[in-house]
Amino acid sequence: MFFDSILASKLGRELKSEGELVQRFEDMTPELILWASDDVLNLYIEFWRMARSNTSESPNNSIRLFGQLLLAIRKDLGHQNNKIDEVSILGTFVNDIENLSR
């Protein structure tokens, strides 16, 4: 779901509407509550909270949080993540990731 949304325009696919994205998040939430580790679930909750809020938080915060979520999922899958950080993993699909403030 995440990659489909992020990469849609790069792959020439139609972007999902806000309503469709919200529905996909809601559909995914029960499974994450049951199956995700505490680390993944906490990051997902924070990411979802940030996505739903109407505050003007820095987009860099949500991008960095998404990178942390990806790393937590990789850790759950058994990867060590010793040689990769959120900026590196985000750089695979985010242009100009090096401009993301650390």
Side-chain angles (χ1 to χ4, degrees), residues 46-87:
E46 178 63 17
F47 184 78
W48 183 219
R49 183 202 60 78
M50 193 178 292
R52 289 186 315 202
S53 73
N54 292 327
T55 64
S56 59
E57 289 190 53
S58 167
N60 287 351
N61 291 343
S62 59
I63 293 168
R64 183 172 298 283
L65 185 59
F66 181 64
Q68 293 169 1
L69 178 59
L70 292 175
L71 289 175
I73 292 168
R74 286 178 46 85
K75 184 178 177 187
D76 274 6
L77 294 171
H79 298 288
Q80 296 294 318
N81 295 333
N82 292 333
K83 298 179 182 179
I84 193 163
D85 61 10
E86 67 263 15
V87 173

Side-chain angles (χ1 to χ4, degrees), residues 14-28:
E14 186 177 328
L15 294 173
K16 303 290 184 200
S17 71
E18 183 177 345
E20 289 172 313
L21 291 175
V22 168
Q23 185 61 53
R24 290 180 83 179
F25 267 104
E26 289 176 358
D27 292 345
M28 188 171 62

Side-chain angles (χ1 to χ4, degrees), residues 2 13 20 31 36 59 65 79 90 96 98:
F2 292 113
R13 297 181 187 151
E20 289 172 313
E31 291 183 31
L65 185 59
H79 298 288
L90 290 168
D96 300 326
E98 62 276 355

